[in-house]
Amino acid sequence: MRPKEIKNSLQEKGLKITPQRIVILEAIHRLENHPTAESIIGYIKKAHPNIATGTVYKILNVLVENDLIKRVTTERDIMRYDAVLENHHHLYDKKSDAIRDYFDGELDKLLMSYFEKKKIPNFRIEDIVLEIKGRFKKQ
Amino acid sequence: MRPKEIKNSLQEKGLKITPQRIVILEAIHRLENHPTAESIIGYIKKAHPNIATGTVYKILNVLVENDLIKRVTTERDIMRYDAVLENHHHLYDKKSDAIRDYFDGELDKLLMSYFEKKKIPNFRIEDIVLEIKGRFKKQ
DNA sequence: GTATGTGCAAACTTTTTGCACTTCG
DNA sequence: CGAAGTGCAAAAAGTTTGCACATAC
């Protein structure tokens, strides 16, 4: 994602374009493996030591509320963030805390047709994300 | 789950049977909607006001480590627990914080056969849980 | 009796909040 | 210029830890 696109995405949501927001969005796009607030702060402070921790948290909440980033579901009590907005799934390593993205359009179609036939009573599905848990093999 | 079964499940794991552990296991089985530590503590303290908060957290960790309960994945920084051990999926309400269980053996078979054909490179799948996000309809 | 578990309070970690100051548009 | 955003420090929220005492087996 280029700087121009980041600025546009903020503007489209009616958010002011500030250096802090740009830097945080860039960091989440750059950092692999669904960073925590802590790792985003660590990464950013190298280049921008004056940015405040509280500001990072506030901005992360604003970005989530405006659908510019997503929170990743985990079993832990720490929040992690994802810059990928297209529909995708997550691979969770059972031993390490690694989480990787998994894209599979064929699977998405399969699920869509499955749930078109089989409705869940009293529930309107908007979105399905698979938590695929297992182990990464050393390559 | 009857008291006898709870005791057996602790015993099978080589854990000592204590009143605190029994009460906590009962609470998680009884409380709907995947309770937080806080709601478990609140529920328990009504009948057992002397049980310590720290003890509840320690016991929850022991129970998770011994596969007697599971942590539920959420986007929030609060841990929630699940007493249901059989394979199942979760329905997340986008507006409230409600999470309901969803059982679907047909879906499980479909996914199993799908991933038997289509392997994920460098990953060994152990378990698949669907996060089905949407809205509960008022009935 | 001894290993294991509990109660309590303090510490720690992560996130939120309030308010004066600053900046974007 | 005014609304929105930031920095800072304090507070809140959630969880863990250490240690003396208690209990299960």
Side-chain angles (χ1 to χ4, degrees):
Chain A
M1 204 176 197
R2 283 183 254 81
K4 188 73 185 171
E5 293 177 71
I6 286 183
K7 287 186 190 176
N8 285 346
S9 67
L10 287 168
Q11 206 153 34
E12 280 163 24
K13 301 291 180 174
L15 298 171
K16 286 191 180 174
I17 297 166
T18 69
Q20 293 86 341
R21 286 177 175 172
I22 293 170
V23 166
I24 289 172
L25 272 170
E26 280 174 348
I28 301 172
H29 280 275
R30 194 146 305 155
L31 290 167
E32 303 285 317
N33 199 31
H34 308 87
T36 61
E38 196 192 7
S39 56
I40 293 166
I41 292 165
Y43 178 82
I44 286 173
K45 288 217 169 166
K46 283 186 282 183
H48 306 264
N50 46 319
I51 199 164
T53 300
T55 300
V56 176
Y57 279 101
K58 279 178 199 162
I59 291 176
L60 288 171
N61 285 334
V62 168
L63 297 178
V64 169
E65 282 156 22
N66 286 278
D67 299 312
L68 293 175
I69 59 175
K70 289 198 278 194
R71 275 199 252 268
V72 180
T73 60
T74 70
E75 294 179 0
R76 295 287 356 273
D77 59 339
I78 302 172
M79 295 193 282
R80 297 174 67 156
Y81 297 88
D82 193 346
V84 178
L85 299 174
E86 305 92 69
N87 194 55
H88 68 283
H89 309 283
H90 287 134
L91 306 175
Y92 293 76
D93 190 300
K94 287 222 175 183
K95 297 285 157 166
S96 76
D97 66 343
I99 303 172
R100 291 217 207 125
D101 287 333
Y102 175 67
F103 298 86
D104 188 338
E106 189 188 345
L107 174 64
D108 295 337
K109 272 182 218 144
L110 181 70
L111 290 170
M112 204 182 295
S113 69
Y114 180 81
F115 282 110
E116 255 161 44
K117 277 177 290 171
K118 182 161 192 163
K119 300 282 186 191
I120 301 174
N122 298 313
F123 193 79
R124 192 182 63 247
I125 298 175
E126 288 174 14
D127 201 15
I128 297 178
V129 176
L130 264 70
E131 299 171 10
I132 305 171
K133 303 174 193 191
R135 294 299 310 273
F136 294 118
K137 298 174 199 157
K138 26 192 170 299
Q139 2 206 9
Chain B
M1 203 176 198
R2 282 181 256 83
K4 188 73 184 171
E5 293 177 71
I6 287 183
K7 287 186 189 175
N8 285 346
S9 67
L10 287 167
Q11 206 153 35
E12 279 163 25
K13 301 291 181 175
L15 297 171
K16 287 191 177 170
I17 297 166
T18 69
Q20 293 86 341
R21 286 177 176 170
I22 293 171
V23 166
I24 289 171
L25 272 171
E26 280 174 348
I28 301 172
H29 279 274
R30 193 146 306 156
L31 290 167
E32 303 285 317
N33 200 32
H34 308 86
T36 61
E38 196 191 6
S39 56
I40 293 166
I41 292 165
Y43 178 83
I44 286 173
K45 288 219 169 166
K46 281 186 283 182
H48 308 262
N50 45 320
I51 198 164
T53 299
T55 299
V56 175
Y57 278 102
K58 280 179 199 162
I59 291 177
L60 288 171
N61 285 335
V62 168
L63 297 179
V64 169
E65 282 155 24
N66 285 278
D67 299 312
L68 293 175
I69 59 174
K70 291 198 278 194
R71 275 200 253 268
V72 181
T73 60
T74 70
E75 294 178 1
R76 296 284 359 268
D77 59 340
I78 303 170
M79 295 193 282
R80 298 173 66 155
Y81 298 88
D82 193 346
V84 178
L85 299 173
E86 305 93 69
N87 195 56
H88 68 283
H89 308 285
H90 286 133
L91 306 175
Y92 294 76
D93 190 302
K94 289 224 174 184
K95 297 285 159 170
S96 76
D97 66 345
I99 303 172
R100 292 217 206 126
D101 287 333
Y102 175 67
F103 297 87
D104 189 338
E106 188 188 348
L107 174 64
D108 295 337
K109 273 181 216 145
L110 181 71
L111 290 171
M112 205 182 293
S113 70
Y114 180 81
F115 282 110
E116 255 161 43
K117 278 178 288 172
K118 181 159 194 166
K119 300 281 185 192
I120 300 174
N122 300 311
F123 194 80
R124 191 184 63 247
I125 297 174
E126 290 174 13
D127 202 16
I128 297 178
V129 176
L130 265 70
E131 297 170 11
I132 305 171
K133 304 174 193 192
R135 294 300 309 272
F136 294 117
K137 297 173 201 158
K138 23 191 172 299
Q139 1 206 9

